[in-house]
């Protein structure tokens, strides 16, 4: 298995390099940093604009290849350049990294675990009322845009707070500004603010993963080796969990790496709607400012997280499938 995982890591390293190069190319061609300074009062001279764009490495009057090589030379040393406002991209990246990871990790873990368990449960109860009800709810969630789901959750929170006469559910920002209190008070405050954004991300994951898990579980339930295990005297629960679910998780591990990108895209809208100052909100504002270096930094974060989720899926695949371990 170590040889197999080492090969996969090399493959992901090449993909990361390609993703970064393509991101810089597309961002430089699609965005116009010079337009950010138009309409200023008093107006800036073309010379001063050129000087500033050159200082941050995004002057479109210079060759694209030269700009990329300079950026890449600094990036390999850990310097992602400057934003279009002249501040450090690294500082902004570090400030927003924990915000997005907290949301993505909570939403991913909750959505994946709940989706897998729900899909396996509905497969065992095929064509019963519970199976049909979950199917209808899943397709309703899948057909609802993430931003609409987030808005509906906010409306529900407002209604709940008005009915109870409290502010139990918070839906603006990641924390309460100026909160006084100890560790547990801060932890509780963060958890309250995390509730709705996490649900917004996790509900889509639950609906998506449950559909795939149900289908893979149904393929396994009719297999001969499960009937053989039952004939040998194993309990139904043992057969379903140790043999059925484990085999059904193998194709799900591959889907996980691709599904994470959809979760990241949904988190972009979620952060903007709920006022979280994370990577998604930074990406939206950076595109509006034509900030090339910041857009590339967010794309780098997205590429790393998606490829890491792919590597985690490979580890899970190798752990579940003995054929992978034997082949490596």
């Amino acid at each position: 298995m170590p040889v197999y995982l080492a090969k996969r890591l090399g493959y992901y390293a090449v993909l990361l390099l390609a993703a970064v190069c393509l991101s810089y190319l597309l961002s430089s061609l699609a965005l116009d940093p010079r337009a950010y300074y138009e309409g200023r009062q008093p107006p800036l001279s073309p010379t001063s604009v050129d000087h500033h764009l050159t200082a941050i490495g995004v002057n479109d009057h210079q060759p694209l290849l030269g700009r990329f090589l300079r950026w890449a030379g600094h990036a390999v040393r850990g310097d992602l350049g400057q934003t279009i406002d002249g501040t450090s991209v690294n500082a902004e990246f570090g400030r927003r990294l924990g915000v997005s990871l907290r949301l993505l990790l909570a939403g991913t873990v909750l959505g994946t675990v709940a989706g897998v368990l729900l899909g396996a449960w509905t497969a065992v109860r095929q064509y019963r009322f519970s199976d049909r009800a979950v199917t209808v709810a899943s397709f309703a969630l899948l057909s609802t845009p993430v931003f609409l789901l987030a808005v509906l959750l906010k409306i529900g929170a407002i209604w709940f707070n008005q009915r109870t006469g409290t502010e139990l559910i918070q839906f603006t920002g990641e924390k309460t500004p100026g909160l006084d209190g100890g560790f547990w008070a801060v932890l509780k405050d963060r958890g309250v603010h995390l509730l709705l954004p996490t649900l917004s991300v996790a509900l889509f994951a639950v609906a998506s993963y449950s559909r795939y898990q149900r289908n893979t579980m149904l393929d396994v339930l009719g297999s001969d080796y499960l009937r053989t295990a039952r004939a040998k005297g194993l309990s139904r629960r043992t057969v379903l969990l140790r043999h059925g679910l484990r085999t059904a998780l193998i194709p799900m591990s591959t889907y996980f790496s691709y599904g994470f990108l959809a979760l990241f895209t949904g988190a972009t809208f979620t952060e903007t709607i709920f006022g979280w100052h994370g990577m998604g909100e930074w990406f939206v504002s950076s595109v509006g400012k034509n900030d090339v270096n910041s857009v590339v930094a967010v794309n780098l974060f997205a590429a790393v997280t998606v490829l890491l989720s792919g590597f985690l899926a490979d580890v899970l695949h190798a752990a579940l499938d003995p054929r992978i371990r034997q082949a490596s």
Side-chain angles (χ1 to χ4, degrees), residues 61-95:
H61 290 167
Q62 296 177 344
L64 176 58
L65 179 60
R67 281 182 279 152
F68 172 72
L69 292 177
R70 283 192 296 273
W71 178 87
H74 290 286
V76 295
R77 296 194 295 268
D79 181 12
L80 296 177
Q82 293 181 304
T83 69
I84 200 166
D85 296 316
T87 59
S88 172
V89 172
N90 284 29
E92 193 72 12
F93 189 95
R95 186 175 67 85

Side-chain angles (χ1 to χ4, degrees), residues 133-156:
V134 171
T135 298
V136 172
S138 297
F139 281 116
L141 287 172
L142 289 174
S143 60
T144 304
V146 177
F147 61 87
L148 177 58
L149 180 61
V151 172
L152 291 176
L153 288 174
K154 287 185 68 172
I155 294 174

Side-chain angles (χ1 to χ4, degrees), residues 296-318:
V296 175
V298 177
N299 287 334
L300 173 63
F301 167 76
V304 170
T305 52
V306 170
L307 293 179
L308 281 179
S309 68
F311 181 71
L312 179 61
D314 290 333
V315 174
L316 182 61
H317 193 178

